[in-house]
Amino acid sequence: MAFGGSKPHDFHPICLLQMSWQPQYRSSKFRHVFGKPASKENCYDSVPITRSVHDNHFCAVNPHFIAVVTECAGGGAFLVIPLHQTGKLDPHYPKVCGHRGNVLDIKWNPFNDFEIASCSEDATIKIWDIPKQLLARNFTAYRKELVGHARRVGLVEWHPTAANILFSAGYDYKVMVWNLDTKESVIVSPVRTITCHQDVILSMSFNTNGSLLATACKDRKIRILDPRLGTVLQEANYKGHRASKVLFLGNLKKLLSTGTSRWNNRQIALWDQDNLSVPLTEEDLDGSSGVLFPFYDSDTNMLYIVGKGDGNIRYYEVSSSKPHLSYLTEYRSYNPQKGIGVMPKRGLDVSSCEIFRFYKLITTKSLIEPVSMIVPRRSESYQEDIYPPTAGAQPSLTAQEWLSGMNREPILVSLRPGSQLLSFQPLPPERSLSNPAPVASPLSWDPGTQLATDNGQRPSSPLEGRTPRWAEEHRLEEKRSWLTNGFDVFECPPPKTENELLQMFYRQQEEIRRLRELVIQREVQAKQLELEIKNLRTGFGQF
C-alpha cells in the first residue's frame, strides 16, 4: 500500500543520476605503492641501538651517512656510518661522543651533509662537523656547544629554508632559537626563547617556508606559533584527542596529529591550521600503546604512519577536499621498529621509481633495515609525474635575513639524473636593493673576481688575473671522480670475502651511474660556457 499518494514503483531520476556519478574506485597513481625491504647484505647488522625509552626517531639519514643513537657507558654517543658501508658493523666501530648524558635526538643539517646537531640529557646541544674520511677513533671534537636550557633537551630541528638557524626544545618547557652564524664555539644566549608551554614539548614541525612552528605538548594542546616573536597564533583545546606528534602538511594549510582518543585507542586527526577548535577528521587505528610517527611527502601528497613497536607502516593519500585522508594500504613486517630514519628526496633511487625510503631500527636483531616505497612502473625511463621539483640542499635565506623578518620558499631542484648537480651552484653575492649592479648573466659571477676586487688588485681585463670557472669546476670534478661518497676509492683494501666483493661491485655500479650523470652534466656546462662567452662578447661590444 502506498502512503501520501505516491505509487510503490515511483523512482526519482535525479537521485538515480546523482548516485550513478559517484565513482566506485578512486583514481590514483599511488594506489599500488608497495614497500620493499633491503636484502640482508644491504642492511646494517650488529648495530648497538640505544635502549632509551624516549619517543624519538633515534636515527637521521642523508645521501652520505646514516647516524643512529647508540648505547654508551659514561655518557651519550651516536654512530655515523657511511651509507654504503652495509653488512656487519665492527664491534669497535668509532663513536661520536662528547655528551655527558644520553643523546636524545640527532638531526642532519638539510644544507650540509657533513654537519649534524645532537641534544642530550646533559642539557646541551652540540654541532659536529663530520670528517669526509673514515673515522679511525672515537670522535670528540664538536664545533659548537649551545648552553641555555636548564634541564635535558629532548628535540632539535633545523629551519627548513634559513641557513644556520636551529630550534631546540627542553624539559624546562622552553623552545630556544639559535643562530649558529657566529665565531663563538660556545653559545650561551639564544636569539629567542619561547616560554608559552605549560609542560614538556613532545613534537615540533615547520610549515614549508618556516614562517610557522607547530608544537604538540604534554598539556594536551597543539599550538601554532610565530617562531620569531614566540607568540601563539592558534591553540587547540579539543579534549577528545591527546596529541603526541604534530606535522604540517606542506602547502595544504593543514596539520596532522597522532595521539590517543578518549578510549586510549591510537588515533590520527587532521586540522585546519587557521582553526584548531575541532579537527576536520579523526580516525582510530588500533589499541596498541606505541607512539605513532607521521611523515609527509609534499611532492606526492602521501602520508606515512609508523608505529613504535609495530612492524607495519600505513600510508594514505592527502587531499584538500573531502575525504581529506584516503587510506591506500600498509607495509607489513614481523620485525618491530624502535625508531626510524628517513632519506631526503635527493638521495632516492629514481631509476627504480623509489618515492620514499625508511630506515627501521630493529633492536631485537641489532639491525637497521632500509625499506623502499616503490611505485610499480614498467618503463625504465625517468618518471616526471612522480618526481616534481623538490626542495634542494641550498638555503633560500641567510640567518640574518630570516631573523629580520624575511620569508622565502625552498629552492627547488629536479631529481632527473644529471640536473640534480646543477642545484648546488653558489648563491650570488647580496646586493643592496637601493643600488643594484647590472648583471650580464646569472652565470657570470665568479668567486675569483670578487676576491681580486676585495684585495684591491683590479685586473686589467675581465679575462686577466682570474681562473676560468670551467677550469676550477673541472679540477673539482676530477678530484670528485676519485671519490665515492667522500671516500678515496684507492685507499680501500682489496676484498677478502665474497660479501666484500659484492659490496665493491655495488659501489662500482653506483660509480658508473654517477659518471654517466657527470657526462650529462658536462654537456649542460658546455652550453653554459657558450652562453658565458656570448655575454662576454656582448660586454666587449659595448666598450
Side-chain angles (χ1 to χ4, degrees):
M1 181 178 178
F3 293 95
S6 63
K7 296 178 182 180
H9 298 293
D10 280 352
F11 289 100
H12 298 280
I14 296 175
C15 295
L16 190 63
L17 187 65
Q18 287 176 347
M19 288 173 64
S20 64
W21 274 102
Q22 292 182 0
Q24 190 173 2
Y25 297 105
R26 244 183 82 260
S27 174
S28 168
K29 66 185 78 169
F30 302 110
R31 268 187 63 198
H32 302 291
V33 169
F34 65 95
K36 181 181 178 183
S39 61
K40 188 68 183 288
E41 293 80 18
N42 292 318
C43 293
Y44 305 84
D45 202 357
S46 304
V47 182
I49 300 164
T50 179
R51 298 190 188 94
S52 172
V53 296
H54 206 69
D55 290 328
N56 268 353
H57 299 158
F58 295 125
C59 182
V61 188
N62 69 27
H64 287 91
F65 299 107
I66 175 168
V68 57
V69 180
T70 183
E71 281 298 304
C72 180
F78 58 95
L79 298 171
V80 175
I81 307 168
L83 198 68
H84 293 285
Q85 191 175 322
T86 54
K88 197 167 185 179
L89 194 72
D90 187 334
H92 304 292
Y93 191 84
K95 299 179 176 68
V96 179
C97 49
H99 285 287
R100 295 182 300 278
N102 291 332
V103 174
L104 299 181
D105 197 14
I106 48 176
K107 292 282 166 57
W108 288 106
N109 186 339
F111 311 122
N112 183 353
D113 288 342
F114 298 92
E115 183 176 40
I116 190 169
S118 63
C119 63
S120 164
E121 289 181 348
D122 64 10
T124 68
I125 303 112
K126 287 181 169 59
I127 311 298
W128 309 82
D129 282 338
I130 303 301
K132 295 185 179 182
Q133 68 273 15
L134 287 168
L135 295 178
R137 60 179 70 87
N138 284 353
F139 188 69
T140 57
Y142 54 85
R143 183 167 64 88
K144 288 186 185 295
E145 185 177 34
L146 316 182
V147 183
H149 286 281
R151 298 181 64 189
R152 58 183 170 168
V153 186
L155 295 168
V156 285
E157 287 287 346
W158 294 91
H159 193 275
T161 60
N164 296 311
I165 294 290
L166 184 74
F167 282 67
S168 63
Y171 277 65
D172 52 5
Y173 312 159
K174 294 176 182 177
V175 175
M176 293 187 178
V177 187
W178 305 88
N179 179 8
L180 307 182
D181 194 12
T182 63
K183 294 180 180 179
E184 303 168 10
S185 59
V186 179
I187 304 175
V188 294
S189 53
V191 293
R192 169 70 60 188
T193 302
I194 301 171
T195 57
C196 59
H197 298 88
Q198 306 301 316
D199 211 322
V200 176
I201 298 107
L202 303 174
S203 175
M204 293 192 293
S205 175
F206 287 98
N207 65 342
T208 307
N209 64 5
S211 60
L212 297 174
L213 174 68
T215 62
C217 184
K218 208 172 180 181
D219 63 9
R220 301 186 179 183
K221 291 182 181 179
I222 296 172
R223 295 174 175 87
I224 296 179
L225 315 170
D226 183 321
R228 280 176 287 239
L229 301 176
T231 54
V232 179
L233 306 177
Q234 291 282 332
E235 189 173 278
N237 291 308
Y238 183 69
K239 304 295 183 186
H241 175 79
R242 297 191 295 272
S244 57
K245 300 292 176 184
V246 67
L247 188 67
F248 266 106
L249 299 182
N251 288 320
L252 296 179
K253 294 195 172 181
K254 288 178 175 55
L255 284 172
L256 183 114
S257 63
T258 64
T260 54
S261 67
R262 295 173 190 265
W263 298 276
N264 279 337
N265 289 325
R266 291 201 297 188
Q267 186 183 64
I268 58 176
L270 191 72
W271 309 79
D272 180 352
Q273 75 175 36
D274 298 322
N275 180 10
L276 297 182
S277 56
V278 178
L280 296 172
T281 181
E282 296 173 273
E283 183 177 329
D284 283 13
L285 299 186
D286 53 39
S288 299
S289 58
V291 168
L292 295 171
F293 298 118
F295 299 93
Y296 180 66
D297 181 2
S298 58
D299 299 336
T300 59
N301 291 329
M302 283 184 65
L303 171 72
Y304 301 88
I305 302 294
V306 183
K308 182 179 178 181
D310 300 356
N312 57 349
I313 299 171
R314 299 175 176 88
Y315 39 104
Y316 302 76
E317 203 164 4
V318 185
S319 63
S320 53
S321 55
K322 292 183 179 180
H324 301 289
L325 289 175
S326 302
Y327 175 74
L328 293 171
T329 183
E330 66 179 311
Y331 163 78
R332 297 187 177 185
S333 167
Y334 291 110
N335 297 321
Q337 58 256 356
K338 179 186 180 65
I340 199 117
V342 173
M343 173 65 76
K345 292 300 286 283
R346 56 194 173 86
L348 299 181
D349 180 12
V350 297
S351 63
S352 63
C353 296
E354 183 185 35
I355 57 169
F356 219 74
R357 191 190 304 161
F358 294 100
Y359 287 79
K360 292 177 52 172
L361 304 187
I362 304 168
T363 49
T364 54
K365 295 185 174 183
S366 298
L367 188 75
I368 303 175
E369 180 186 52
V371 178
S372 298
M373 311 308 293
I374 307 288
V375 178
R377 293 280 172 97
R378 290 182 180 177
S379 173
E380 294 182 0
S381 60
Y382 179 72
Q383 305 292 310
E384 197 82 47
D385 60 324
I386 62 174
Y387 296 116
T390 189
Q394 188 173 347
S396 52
L397 286 166
T398 64
Q400 210 53 51
E401 284 174 336
W402 183 78
L403 291 170
S404 65
M406 291 177 66
N407 293 317
R408 284 200 197 119
E409 295 299 315
I411 294 176
L412 302 181
V413 296
S414 171
L415 294 180
R416 181 185 288 275
S419 60
Q420 58 181 349
L421 296 173
L422 299 178
S423 64
F424 300 102
Q425 298 294 333
L427 285 171
E430 295 175 20
R431 292 187 175 91
S432 171
L433 296 176
S434 59
N435 186 21
V439 181
S441 162
L443 299 168
S444 62
W445 175 78
D446 186 80
T449 307
Q450 182 73 20
L451 184 63
T453 308
D454 292 345
N455 291 337
Q457 298 173 356
R458 188 177 180 82
S460 57
S461 74
L463 296 175
E464 193 177 302
R466 97 184 223 190
T467 307
R469 194 178 69 173
W470 65 267
E472 292 179 4
E473 290 182 353
H474 177 72
R475 281 201 299 269
L476 182 63
E477 290 301 335
E478 194 174 26
K479 184 179 177 184
R480 231 183 244 167
S481 66
W482 301 336
L483 302 173
T484 303
N485 297 305
F487 304 107
D488 194 336
V489 294
F490 297 118
E491 290 183 0
C492 295
K496 297 177 182 176
T497 64
E498 187 178 348
N499 186 25
E500 289 179 3
L501 185 65
L502 197 61
Q503 286 182 26
M504 182 163 282
F505 170 74
Y506 287 140
R507 288 197 190 103
Q508 287 177 347
Q509 293 298 312
E510 179 68 23
E511 185 68 13
I512 290 168
R513 187 184 68 81
R514 194 188 66 77
L515 287 171
R516 282 177 184 158
E517 293 174 1
L518 197 59
V519 170
I520 298 171
Q521 188 208 7
R522 287 288 167 80
E523 293 173 358
V524 177
Q525 284 179 343
K527 292 178 182 177
Q528 290 177 352
L529 283 169
E530 288 174 8
L531 180 62
E532 206 166 331
I533 291 166
K534 186 179 176 182
N535 287 327
L536 284 171
R537 284 175 179 167
T538 306
F540 283 130
Q542 292 175 354
F543 289 109

